[in-house]
Structures are given as C-alpha cells and as structure tokens.
C-alpha cells in the first residue's frame, strides 16, 4: 500500500477523481499522515516497525513508496482521509453527514 493508492481510494470516496481536483494532493497527504497517527493510537500493533515500537509511523517521502502498515488497514485509512477532507468542508450539511459516515466506517475498520 502506497500513499498514492490510499489517496486514489480516498478520491473515489470523495468523488473527486477528475482534474482539477477539489482537494490538493498535498492536503490529502497531510490527512493521510493524520489517519496513520489515528490508526497507531487505536491499533497499537501498527506502531511496530521491524519489531521495534515507534511513537508513530511516518509516511515515506515518495508517493509510490510502501507505507509500513499492513494492507488490511487501507480501507480504514482511505475512509479517514475522506472524513478529514469532508470535515474541513463541513459548512455544507451534506458534507457534514458524509464526514460522520466516513469516520464511523473508518473507526469500525481500525480494529
């Protein structure tokens, strides 16, 4: 699982797959780092890197480098990225409801 694959999954959830994008790549990358930190808090076993516990897992520099987290959490990370994107745009009632839905689904997968 790479930064790019999670960003693309989040864009599908956000229905933001046609350029010009509503959410910038850098913004979604920042949201992904926040999602990884959230996952690390909810599932402490995801903080282990080569058998050594980390404070949190940092995203790799390149968008095509592997994120050192099990692929089973890809859906949860994409949903959490979408949650943060919608949450920051929550002045729209529909986006507020979408944010709540993405958060609930993401946290249900973070087990």
């Amino acid at each position: 699982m790479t930064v790019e694959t999670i960003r693309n999954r989040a864009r599908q959830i956000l229905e933001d797959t046609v350029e010009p994008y509503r959410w910038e790549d850098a913004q979604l990358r920042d949201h992904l780092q926040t999602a990884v930190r959230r996952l690390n808090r909810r599932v402490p076993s995801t903080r282990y890197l080569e058998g050594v516990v980390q404070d949190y897992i940092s995203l790799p520099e390149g968008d095509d480098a592997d994120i050192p987290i099990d692929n089973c959490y890809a859906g949860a990370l994409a949903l959490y990225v979408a949650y943060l994107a919608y949450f920051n745009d929550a002045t729209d009632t529909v986006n507020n409801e979408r944010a709540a839905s993405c958060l609930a689904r993401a946290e249900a997968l973070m087990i």
Side-chain angles (χ1 to χ4, degrees):
M1 146 177 74
T2 65
V3 171
E4 184 177 25
T5 58
I6 298 300
R7 185 178 54 228
N8 290 342
R9 285 181 75 168
R11 284 198 186 286
Q12 289 175 343
I13 295 165
L14 293 164
E15 298 175 359
D16 186 32
T17 57
V18 178
E19 292 186 51
Y21 298 126
R22 182 173 184 179
W23 288 277
E24 298 292 328
D25 286 349
Q27 184 181 19
L28 295 181
R29 183 184 176 85
D30 289 344
H31 291 335
L32 178 55
Q33 183 63 69
T34 303
V36 168
R37 287 185 178 139
R38 180 67 176 161
L39 177 65
N40 289 164
R41 280 192 302 268
R42 290 190 53 92
V43 185
S45 64
T46 61
R47 294 178 35 216
Y48 284 85
L49 188 58
E50 297 178 7
V52 178
V53 70
Q54 309 293 314
D55 289 335
Y56 66 91
I57 302 297
S58 295
L59 293 179
E61 289 297 317
D63 286 353
D64 59 347
D66 284 333
I67 300 170
I69 293 176
D70 193 297
N71 288 341
C72 71
Y73 295 108
L77 292 173
L79 282 162
Y80 203 85
V81 169
Y83 153 69
L84 291 170
Y86 280 138
F87 182 78
N88 289 336
D89 195 31
T91 55
D92 181 342
T93 303
V94 172
N95 284 353
N96 195 11
E97 292 169 0
R98 289 177 180 168
S101 173
C102 286
L103 176 61
R105 292 169 46 209
E107 292 200 335
L109 294 173
M110 290 183 182
I111 55 172

